[in-house]
Amino acid sequence: MRENSMQQQRWLQRWILSGSRSYSNFTDMIMRPPIKPQARSSIVLFAFLCLLVGAFVSTRVLDSTAQSQRPTITTKAALTIPLRIPRKKIEIPLNCTAFNLNRSCPGNYPSRLIEDPDRPEPHTCPEYFRWINEDLRPWARTGITREMLERAKRTANFKLVIRNGKAYVEKYRRAFQTRDVFTLWGILQLLRRYPGQVPDLELMFDCVDWPVIKSVDCKGPNATAPPPLFRYCADDDTLDIVFPDWSFWGWAEINIKPWEALLEDLKEGNKRRKWVQREPYAYWKGNPSVAATRQELLKCNVSEKQDWNARVYAQDWLRESQEGYKQSDLASQCIHRYKIYIEGSAWSVSEKYILACDSVSLIVKPRYYDFFTRGLVPVHHYWPIKEDDKCRSIKFAVDWGNSHKGKAQDIGKTASAFVQEELKMANVYDYMFHLLTQYSELLRFKPTIPRKAFELCAESMACQANSLEKKFMMESLVKGPAEASPCTMPPPFDPASLHGFLRRKESSIQQVELWEKKYWENQNKQ
């Protein structure tokens, strides 16, 4: 036994010295001499252990060799390597303490946007941004002089001046409710979102609904260039510059939340009842006293003699305010398959709420447009309703939708997706940014701060606001600079593409009117 053991050790030494690392070579060597069976198992186990040790040693040697061939990094060089640390979003709260002590706007907010090479690439702006170029076209050749600007003062509620990223306001007359307050609040949020990026400018703003700059007054050989006047809507006969309305930051008088929060509520409201489970009628609720066309709509309500497929309700806002707005929650009104939009004294802020409801929006032929509605396409985003034959037109629209449920649902979903994605607050701010930037490039004078103007900042507005106004301001506060740059503008319309777009919209409306005509012809034959 001892002799066999010594002999095995000599064979193992010979195998190692020979440089062979093959298991088969090793077993050949140890199996050649006569070995007793009881010794073979111990020899094989010993061989496996040797192989494992050899593999470990070889790996360490090769690894150390590779390490010695790698370039070393000195401590000084290592310090210059940029670390991939996740970006922390900058948030700068309101400094009401400093404002209340000094009665002046604090200077703790960044004056410019810090360049970050890792910032996400900006996306392309929605198509309706192309209308910015059309709205500013009246001044493309002449530019805007101070004389033109001062002529817009006739009806303006205030003048806004932006100098070095700060806002200054000169007020001329009171606006209805808090329209001017929340419009200015929205502009301050734009300055917080893009500090130092909004160029110097002066503009006049009119908070009344109906536009006043008539295009006919600016035609002819002796006509003067139109005064540039900002407001919330315009029409084909006017040249007022459309701007996002105050309700995007809240409508305190009727308890409508800021748009960002309300958009989430509407999204949740849509989930409560599927389209096919909703009431198969057209719904409208609003103030009919502001326009004759709304009073006519009341005649389309269901009665003992006639059902036009419409469920129309007059809204008493005074009673609603006294009862805590229990019957005017917008997210709870998405329970009908169809919702009617009809203008008031001019355009109505309700259009965006109606479009966001997943219901088919039945839009009574509008006269006015705001900043985004020119991007809506008939039969794709909404169903057109005749203005001069509302009841029959609504009846046909509902019957058509209930007979073509798949197509009707698609129209409702497309409108909701448009509102949720293309009308989210980031795009509202970007529209404001591009509009003001292009407007400033037209100015042929250096913006100056009027003697009667005062500096406006978020602190001077929110820190002194009361109750619901302050609540809405805090909810819509831009907490810090944006992480991304403004979206990239799409190219302007060329005459052919603009004409083609408008012609397609008109053709879609004519197609619906043809379907409606045939529908009533068949009804009369029965």
Side-chain angles (χ1 to χ4, degrees):
M1 185 71 168
R2 180 179 177 83
E3 181 180 342
N4 283 341
S5 177
M6 292 177 64
Q7 194 174 18
Q8 290 165 13
Q9 292 178 16
R10 286 197 295 271
W11 290 331
L12 181 59
Q13 289 173 0
R14 283 166 50 199
W15 176 72
I16 294 173
L17 292 173
S18 68
S20 174
R21 295 295 181 267
S22 169
Y23 173 73
S24 60
N25 290 344
F26 175 70
T27 52
D28 286 344
M29 291 178 65
I30 63 174
M31 298 300 277
R32 282 173 193 161
I35 301 174
K36 294 182 179 181
Q38 59 268 31
R40 284 182 184 164
S41 59
S42 60
I43 293 172
V44 173
L45 178 61
F46 183 75
F48 271 113
L49 290 174
C50 291
L51 284 172
L52 289 173
V53 172
F56 177 77
V57 171
S58 299
T59 303
R60 296 291 292 182
V61 170
L62 290 171
D63 186 64
S64 62
T65 304
Q67 288 284 356
S68 65
Q69 294 174 351
R70 293 175 187 164
T72 58
I73 301 176
T74 63
T75 305
K76 184 176 180 180
L79 292 174
T80 63
I81 296 176
L83 299 175
R84 294 289 180 180
I85 301 174
R87 293 191 308 275
K88 185 178 180 180
K89 192 172 182 179
I90 300 173
E91 292 192 3
I92 302 173
L94 296 187
N95 193 347
C96 289
T97 302
F99 177 80
N100 292 332
L101 283 174
N102 304 318
R103 289 292 163 179
S104 61
C105 294
N108 64 323
Y109 203 84
S111 59
R112 62 183 181 86
L113 201 62
I114 299 173
E115 292 297 328
D116 182 357
D118 293 330
R119 294 182 81 188
E121 288 292 322
H123 65 281
T124 302
C125 304
E127 282 291 296
Y128 65 83
F129 278 55
R130 302 174 78 178
W131 290 98
I132 291 175
N133 301 284
E134 300 306 310
D135 289 346
L136 297 178
R137 191 174 297 281
W139 302 275
R141 183 178 57 83
T142 63
I144 297 172
T145 65
R146 180 167 292 283
E147 183 274 333
M148 294 178 192
L149 181 73
E150 292 303 321
R151 279 195 283 120
K153 182 179 178 179
R154 181 174 59 87
T155 64
N157 291 97
F158 62 83
K159 175 192 281 189
L160 170 73
V161 178
I162 296 177
R163 281 288 302 272
N164 300 321
K166 295 182 179 181
Y168 303 87
V169 178
E170 182 179 21
K171 292 195 173 182
Y172 301 129
R173 51 187 60 85
R174 289 179 58 85
F176 178 65
Q177 297 181 339
T178 51
R179 292 184 176 196
D180 56 344
V181 172
F182 280 92
T183 298
L184 289 168
W185 175 258
I187 292 169
L188 290 178
Q189 303 321 298
L190 173 68
L191 299 181
R192 286 174 66 90
R193 183 176 176 85
Y194 298 124
Q197 289 187 279
V198 180
D200 292 357
L201 58 85
E202 287 185 44
L203 63 82
M204 297 286 186
F205 206 107
D206 188 339
C207 300
V208 177
D209 280 343
W210 46 88
V212 296
I213 308 300
K214 305 294 184 182
S215 57
V216 68
D217 296 338
C218 306
K219 295 179 180 178
N222 299 320
T224 57
L229 182 63
F230 285 72
R231 75 169 63 249
Y232 310 120
C233 72
D235 62 20
D236 292 340
D237 298 323
T238 55
L239 300 174
D240 301 60
I241 303 169
V242 293
F243 194 82
D245 71 82
W246 75 94
S247 67
F248 281 98
W249 297 273
W251 191 351
E253 287 79 10
I254 59 174
N255 197 41
I256 290 182
K257 295 179 182 180
W259 181 235
E260 197 161 43
L262 182 55
L263 204 55
E264 288 300 314
D265 289 350
L266 290 166
K267 187 188 295 185
E268 291 303 314
N270 285 339
K271 297 176 182 177
R272 294 174 195 163
R273 191 178 297 190
K274 294 181 180 179
W275 190 89
V276 292
Q277 298 171 339
R278 298 183 182 187
E279 297 292 327
Y281 304 108
Y283 172 89
W284 180 83
K285 188 175 186 179
N287 182 2
S289 64
V290 296
T293 185
R294 288 190 174 187
Q295 293 171 14
E296 293 169 1
L297 179 65
L298 294 179
K299 299 175 184 177
C300 302
N301 213 347
V302 61
S303 67
E304 294 180 358
K305 297 181 179 180
Q306 182 67 53
D307 188 354
W308 297 109
N309 289 334
R311 302 295 182 262
V312 182
Y313 305 90
Q315 177 74 287
D316 185 343
W317 283 113
L318 178 60
R319 183 178 177 181
E320 272 296 290
S321 64
Q322 294 171 345
E323 296 180 357
Y325 302 98
K326 295 178 182 178
Q327 304 301 319
S328 57
D329 177 54
L330 295 173
S332 299
Q333 294 181 9
C334 300
I335 59 173
H336 292 78
R337 293 181 183 176
Y338 312 88
K339 294 195 72 175
I340 300 169
Y341 168 76
I342 186 168
E343 293 178 335
S345 58
W347 129 103
S348 170
V349 301
S350 64
E351 188 164 15
K352 56 182 176 289
Y353 311 133
I354 291 169
L355 289 164
C357 225
D358 271 3
S359 305
V360 180
S361 297
L362 308 183
I363 296 184
V364 180
K365 185 178 181 179
R367 172 181 173 181
Y368 301 94
Y369 55 80
D370 63 10
F371 76 102
F372 74 88
T373 50
R374 287 169 289 183
L376 300 176
V377 178
V379 195
H380 182 63
H381 295 107
Y382 69 94
W383 190 269
I385 299 295
K386 290 180 179 179
E387 201 281 329
D388 57 354
D389 196 7
K390 300 178 187 64
C391 300
R392 281 160 49 98
S393 196
I394 290 170
K395 167 72 173 172
F396 165 68
V398 173
D399 283 351
W400 182 92
N402 289 336
S403 300
H404 301 80
K405 293 183 176 67
K407 293 179 180 178
Q409 288 181 74
D410 287 344
I411 295 172
K413 287 286 187 182
T414 301
S416 287
F418 175 91
V419 171
Q420 289 286 345
E421 293 301 319
E422 301 196 25
L423 200 58
K424 57 188 176 184
M425 278 309 298
N427 284 332
V428 175
Y429 283 123
D430 285 0
Y431 188 96
M432 296 162 63
F433 174 84
H434 285 298
L435 174 59
L436 295 181
T437 298
Q438 293 195 29
Y439 169 83
S440 70
E441 293 171 356
L442 295 171
L443 299 182
R444 298 295 179 261
F445 59 92
K446 183 177 180 180
T448 57
I449 303 170
R451 182 174 56 84
K452 295 181 180 180
F454 56 91
E455 184 181 355
L456 202 63
C457 60
E459 283 81 2
S460 67
M461 296 192 74
C463 297
Q464 301 183 101
N466 296 318
S467 60
L468 197 57
E469 292 177 25
K470 184 171 185 176
K471 180 177 182 290
F472 285 172
M473 286 180 181
M474 297 308 296
E475 288 179 359
S476 59
L477 176 71
V478 170
K479 295 180 173 60
E483 293 182 304
S485 299
C487 62
T488 305
M489 279 287 289
F493 286 113
D494 59 73
S497 62
L498 178 58
H499 176 76
F501 176 71
L502 296 176
R503 186 73 190 97
R504 285 193 298 274
K505 292 178 69 171
E506 186 61 31
S507 295
S508 297
I509 294 173
Q510 290 173 355
Q511 178 64 70
V512 171
E513 290 177 349
L514 181 61
W515 291 340
E516 186 176 331
K517 181 181 178 182
K518 291 181 178 179
Y519 169 86
W520 286 111
E521 287 175 352
N522 293 332
Q523 292 290 314
N524 294 332
K525 291 178 183 178
Q526 296 177 2

